[in-house]
Amino acid sequence: MKKNTGLLKNTQLFRGLEENEMEAILGCLNPVYREYAKNESIFRQGESISGIGMVLSGRVHIVEEDFWGNRSILSDIGEGQVFGETYACVQGEILRVSVYAMEQSTVMFLDVARVFSTCSSACRFHAQLIRNLLFEYAQKNLLLTRKLSHMSKRSTRDKLLSYLSDQSLEHGSSVFDIPFNRQQLADYLSVDRSAMSSELGRLRDEGVLDFDRNHFKLIKDYPVN
């Protein structure tokens, strides 16, 4: 328990709670811990869930897949972040997405019924936990809005520039790493990988940017349109 509270106290979900308070509330929530291998499924589309997942180590992707197997990455979830909260809170709603471990990962699951139910030993901490969960939900909505902004662009080039500009703003630098490889970036932007790679090459040739794998540098003085 001590090991877990030391890790969790720096996460958004448990922000504002002292270590002894976290021990009390974890005792109430009775979390379940599971290990996943790279590319292993955590949740599958069509299932119904009642648990909120938190990544303790590793990284997971939220993926939308159609009938023919075409996929689009909706979210990249890193350490300390939660997933599944929307579906877990709507009882009986089936998943329209799947969740996969992108590397060896450890996930903690919290039963949503316990999260929203108070108990005599930790009830005063639940209010803070619920506020934090609502903040997480608001952050997810902002991320979705940003993704929709990239997706609304007409061309592969404009989608790339929108995404990379947003990443530069998020990192506060023109030099940054993105959390995707080429196929994952294509899936996230819903574009053809080959066409996207060709566009990246053209952007580099034109002096708009430079890159090495997932490491990018945007060139500030290049006049785009």
Side-chain angles (χ1 to χ4, degrees):
M1 185 74 75
K2 288 281 186 183
K3 179 180 178 181
N4 292 325
T5 55
L7 171 68
L8 297 175
K9 67 180 181 180
N10 294 319
T11 66
Q12 176 56 48
L13 185 60
F14 293 97
R15 180 170 294 176
L17 298 177
E18 299 298 329
E19 189 162 332
N20 65 316
E21 296 173 331
M22 290 179 56
E23 288 181 16
I25 202 165
L26 284 174
C28 170
L29 296 176
N30 193 25
V32 174
Y33 303 91
R34 290 180 181 164
E35 300 281 341
Y36 294 92
K38 182 178 180 179
N39 296 324
E40 186 176 356
S41 170
I42 299 173
F43 291 149
R44 287 192 177 275
Q45 186 172 305
E47 295 177 341
S48 181
I49 64 173
S50 60
I52 299 169
M54 173 182 280
V55 180
L56 300 183
S57 67
R59 184 169 294 277
V60 309
H61 280 175
I62 313 298
V63 178
E64 185 178 56
E65 300 169 298
D66 69 15
F67 181 83
W68 296 273
N70 300 307
R71 55 166 47 190
S72 174
I73 297 174
L74 300 182
S75 298
D76 172 75
I77 309 295
E79 292 183 8
Q81 295 179 301
V82 301
F83 61 92
E85 67 278 12
T86 301
Y87 285 98
C89 289
V90 183
Q91 188 175 11
E93 182 71 16
I94 64 169
L95 288 170
R96 262 65 176 183
V97 297
S98 297
V99 182
Y100 295 98
M102 290 295 99
E103 54 191 71
Q104 182 74 30
S105 301
T106 303
V107 178
M108 177 181 72
F109 293 96
L110 303 174
D111 189 322
V112 72
R114 286 180 175 267
V115 172
F116 288 110
S117 299
T118 60
C119 70
S120 58
S121 62
C123 60
R124 72 187 185 90
F125 311 136
H126 267 87
Q128 181 65 43
L129 186 72
I130 292 170
R131 283 195 295 269
N132 291 345
L133 183 59
L134 289 174
F135 185 84
E136 287 264 9
Y137 189 75
Q139 282 189 317
K140 291 286 182 64
N141 280 339
L142 289 174
L143 290 174
L144 180 58
T145 299
R146 288 161 57 184
K147 176 179 169 64
L148 289 174
S149 177
H150 309 324
M151 296 290 296
S152 69
K153 304 299 187 288
R154 292 182 178 273
S155 67
T156 297
R157 179 190 183 97
D158 288 342
K159 289 179 181 180
L160 277 168
L161 292 176
S162 176
Y163 172 73
L164 294 173
S165 177
D166 184 64
Q167 287 294 297
S168 174
L169 183 63
E170 181 175 332
H171 287 83
S173 172
S174 61
V175 180
F176 52 87
D177 293 335
I178 66 172
F180 302 127
N181 61 31
R182 289 290 178 273
Q183 185 59 60
Q184 292 166 352
L185 180 58
D187 289 342
Y188 179 78
L189 296 175
S190 293
V191 297
D192 178 75
R193 175 182 175 176
S194 178
M196 184 195 72
S197 295
S198 296
E199 194 61 63
L200 281 171
R202 282 191 287 270
L203 287 167
R204 178 166 58 186
D205 292 343
E206 294 170 16
V208 179
L209 53 81
D210 197 7
F211 60 86
D212 179 25
R213 297 180 183 273
N214 70 331
H215 183 74
F216 283 81
K217 176 182 179 181
L218 304 188
I219 299 173
K220 183 72 172 178
D221 59 358
Y222 185 86
V224 181
N225 294 330

